[in-house]
Amino acid sequence: MSIVIIGGNDCMVHRYKQLCKEHGCKVKVFTQPQGIKNQIGIPDLLVLFTNTVSHKMIQGALSSVSNETVSIVRSHSSSLSALKDILSKHA
């Protein structure tokens, strides 16, 4: 399963990737808006950490996957336990 995470904390990127790898998932994490539209691709799951990301970044991510069949999950919290809950439900 491929996952794209939009938002979150810069210092947590390694931990997000490690947790997704433990669940057998490939992951891309974007905490900054540079080049996001060109690099998202077509993931199976799009995770949006809404508290730590701008509206413009969310809109860019949603517009790049709008024509595809991508599961989208929004989470206000960008904690590791929130990501664990998401992965346990979807991965």
Side-chain angles (χ1 to χ4, degrees), residues 4-35:
V4 172
I5 298 174
I6 306 294
N9 298 315
D10 289 331
C11 61
M12 295 288 289
V13 170
H14 178 71
R15 297 179 110 188
Y16 295 148
K17 289 181 179 183
Q18 186 179 16
L19 181 63
C20 290
K21 188 176 179 180
E22 289 172 6
H23 280 84
C25 302
K26 294 180 180 180
V27 65
K28 292 181 185 177
V29 181
F30 298 99
T31 58
Q32 304 298 322
Q34 291 84 9

Side-chain angles (χ1 to χ4, degrees), residues 35-91:
I36 193 170
K37 278 189 168 184
N38 301 330
Q39 297 178 6
I40 286 183
I42 305 171
D44 298 317
L45 178 65
L46 178 65
V47 178
L48 300 170
F49 289 140
T50 58
N51 194 33
T52 56
V53 70
S54 67
H55 292 286
K56 183 178 178 182
M57 201 166 158
I58 288 176
Q59 290 172 347
L62 291 175
S63 70
S64 66
V65 296
S66 64
N67 296 334
E68 308 300 329
T69 55
V70 176
S71 299
I72 299 171
V73 177
R74 295 173 188 246
S75 174
H76 187 69
S77 173
S78 60
S79 67
L80 205 57
S81 63
L83 183 58
K84 283 181 188 178
D85 290 341
I86 292 168
L87 291 175
S88 67
K89 293 176 186 174
H90 295 280

